[in-house]
Amino acid sequence: MHARHDYKTLRQTFEQAADLYQQARPEYPDALLNDLVRAANLHPGDRLLEIGCATGKATLPLAKRGFNMTCVELGTDLAEAARRNLTGMDAEIITGGFEEWQPEDWKRFDLVFAATAWNWIDPKVRYSKAWQVLRPGGHLAFWNATHVFPDDGDPFFREIQDVYDELGEGKPKDTDWPRPGELQEQREEIGQSGLFEVVHVRHFDWERIYHAEEYINLLKTFSDHILMEERKREKLFSEIRVRLNSRPDSSVRRHWGAVLHVARRLD
């Protein structure tokens, strides 16, 4: 599905899921956020710029740790949801694209980061723009929360592929099913930018149990499912309901994985 749409089209789709995003998307593990704070040598009061905060899934826990948050979010409804979720926090939510946004001249940040958003930013400008808005010695960090498949994981995801195949929405035959710890690292890409040096890379994984409707709501926040023809999407969701509700607990175990990358700005 992704191959048929460029990233600029796909990244606009999340606006359609603004109402579901906060409840359906997973919380990031405290261990990941604590590791980020240590690796980037952050201290309360430091200025953090988040790219693509959506509803504030990573923003809120970092704001609660005492950081000054500025967020640039492309989606109007997502940005408004983030403002509601961050009420009372030291946080400013700016609606717009990171590529075009210009900070106030005097303001430079201690950390620029993206939580499951870095891959949606124009690859031609994302490193140079991050470098531009960071203070000397500041850090860039990013990670993507994605699906991983431990050997003892729930077999549901492979079993449901026959429905995707029947709908013409199946995975390509050479698609990877990465185990925890096997997600691709982006060290080389960071180094090739010539603007940053990698200081820390660490893999994280965690598990969440979804009841049938919770899992369907999660799928409704994924770009490929949002763009799926309605009749296909409804047939898929109907089959998921039937299969999960036939289980004793009507639920599915989904493993999430993320690779935290932290890099220091080269001056």
Side-chain angles (χ1 to χ4, degrees):
M1 189 77 181
H2 280 209
R4 303 174 210 164
H5 303 273
D6 66 24
Y7 74 93
K8 290 183 179 178
T9 301
L10 287 167
R11 75 179 191 177
Q12 299 275 0
T13 62
F14 300 111
E15 184 73 348
Q16 299 175 40
D19 292 340
L20 286 174
Y21 202 98
Q22 184 67 15
Q23 70 182 61
R25 285 296 181 110
E27 305 298 327
Y28 297 115
D30 281 342
L32 187 157
L33 298 175
N34 292 338
D35 203 44
L36 166 64
V37 170
R38 284 193 299 270
N41 193 27
L42 298 174
H43 302 89
D46 281 354
R47 293 193 295 268
L48 276 55
L49 173 67
E50 182 176 5
I51 305 166
C53 67
T55 57
K57 299 294 291 194
T59 327
L60 183 58
L62 288 169
K64 287 180 175 178
R65 285 166 168 79
F67 301 113
N68 172 279
M69 308 296 298
T70 300
C71 308
V72 182
E73 168 54 51
L74 186 67
T76 303
D77 290 345
L78 289 167
E80 187 54 41
R83 291 185 189 101
R84 290 194 301 271
N85 292 330
L86 288 153
T87 298
M89 297 285 114
D90 187 3
E92 178 187 14
I93 315 297
I94 298 162
T95 304
F98 175 65
E99 295 92 337
E100 296 78 33
W101 172 72
Q102 290 297 330
E104 299 168 19
D105 289 342
W106 58 269
K107 195 168 189 179
R108 289 292 180 270
F109 295 91
D110 300 289
L111 173 74
V112 172
F113 78 98
T116 316
W118 187 246
N119 289 349
W120 299 110
I121 307 304
D122 187 344
K124 295 184 179 67
V125 302
R126 59 191 177 198
Y127 286 101
S128 58
K129 188 62 176 284
W131 187 94
Q132 174 196 335
V133 301
L134 279 167
R135 66 165 173 79
H139 290 82
L140 167 69
F142 58 85
W143 67 92
N144 292 307
T146 189
H147 201 172
V148 290
F149 305 90
D151 291 335
D152 61 351
D154 197 318
F156 174 81
F157 305 103
R158 293 181 188 268
E159 293 169 355
I160 199 68
Q161 289 307 306
D162 63 345
V163 180
Y164 283 92
D165 290 341
E166 180 187 333
L167 295 173
E169 299 288 343
K171 295 175 178 288
K173 296 304 180 187
D174 59 352
T175 298
D176 288 334
W177 295 76
R179 296 180 179 88
E182 292 182 352
L183 293 174
Q184 185 175 0
E185 298 179 4
Q186 291 171 258
R187 295 173 187 263
E188 185 176 353
E189 177 187 289
I190 294 169
Q192 286 175 346
S193 74
L195 301 173
F196 294 91
E197 63 173 348
V198 175
V199 297
H200 185 73
V201 176
R202 184 178 171 189
H203 292 250
F204 293 85
D205 67 272
W206 65 103
E207 179 184 296
R208 183 168 166 184
I209 295 173
Y210 295 88
H211 293 286
E213 293 307 317
E214 292 174 325
Y215 181 61
I216 288 168
N217 282 341
L218 174 67
L219 294 180
K220 287 179 179 178
T221 71
F222 292 159
S223 57
D224 51 359
H225 289 71
I226 292 169
L227 290 170
M228 195 180 291
E229 290 177 36
E230 185 175 1
R231 65 173 183 82
K232 292 184 177 182
R233 191 168 54 241
E234 288 309 312
K235 182 172 176 54
L236 171 66
F237 292 167
S238 176
E239 186 62 30
I240 288 172
R241 287 187 185 97
V242 168
R243 295 192 185 195
L244 291 186
N245 286 327
S246 71
R247 292 179 160 197
D249 56 0
S250 301
S251 67
V252 61
R253 289 187 300 121
R254 192 183 202 275
H255 281 79
W256 290 89
V259 186
L260 171 64
H261 300 78
V262 183
R264 184 184 298 113
R265 180 189 193 268
L266 295 173
D267 301 326

